Amino acid sequence: MSATHSRTRTLVEAALMIALGTVLSLFPLSLVWTRGGSITLLSMLPIIMMSLRHGTKWGLGTAFLYSLIQFVQGISNLAYCQTVWAQIGCILFDYLLAFTALGLAGAIAKPFKNRLAGVAVGTTVVCLIRFVCSFLSGYIVWKDYETAFEWLSNFGWGAWFNANLGEDALCWFYSFAYNFSYMLPETILTVAGAVILYKAMPRLFARQK
């Protein structure tokens, strides 16, 4: 197979994976959280598979294009940002960095001799990186003391945080808990989906030269 044909085939595969991931992201399994975020049916897995199959270069390129599509779909969220810097932070943490990180799965999985373990660990780590991006965004971009206090007060924690740790700690914890609430099930589903698909069709995860 010529290099040109191989590159063309990989480009087509990348386009298909982006399209599949985008379609899956449009039909969440849960209601969209009031401040963004939802549980989807494996919408990240096609992008992760691209990285596992073709390596970091193709993985990051595919994931970056996917992040741009996710940004376009959520561009209306910029209207809620109070400053230009907040808009930049939203673009970076909620979209570009969060979704481009999915392209690192192949690099994380590569050192593992056991391919299944590499797939599972690589998928888990990139999902964790996306969570960290959302967690940072929740404080840096979307910090809202009143909302955080009201939410934590529903569990009897609002006054305790104010009295013992202060407003900043309350906002940090709120961001962690809020993003954890949808990213944990999203991560579990994605890792489980990757493992089940690998066991059923391991050739789909074979590294392509």
Side-chain angles (χ1 to χ4, degrees), residues 35-38 44 89-99 101-102 126-143 171-184 186-187:
R35 289 180 168 262
S38 62
M44 296 186 291
C90 175
I91 294 170
L92 287 175
F93 289 111
D94 288 327
Y95 298 103
L96 300 189
L97 294 178
F99 290 103
L102 301 179
V126 294
C127 288
L128 177 61
I129 295 173
R130 183 190 160 189
F131 163 72
V132 170
C133 289
S134 297
F135 166 56
L136 292 174
S137 176
Y139 181 86
I140 297 171
V141 179
W142 302 108
K143 181 180 179 182
C171 292
W172 276 116
F173 182 78
Y174 170 70
S175 178
F176 176 88
Y178 180 92
N179 289 291
F180 188 78
S181 68
Y182 69 88
M183 276 306 303
L184 176 61
E186 179 84 351
T187 298

Side-chain angles (χ1 to χ4, degrees), residues 195-208:
V195 169
I196 292 171
L197 189 58
Y198 178 87
K199 288 186 174 182
M201 293 178 283
R203 290 183 62 183
L204 289 178
F205 294 83
R207 297 188 185 95
Q208 306 299 301

Side-chain angles (χ1 to χ4, degrees), residues 33-56:
W33 268 234
T34 55
R35 289 180 168 262
S38 62
I39 303 168
T40 68
L41 183 60
L42 310 178
S43 63
M44 296 186 291
L45 187 54
I47 311 304
I48 292 171
M49 286 181 63
M50 190 68 192
S51 180
L52 291 168
R53 283 170 55 81
H54 296 282
T56 305

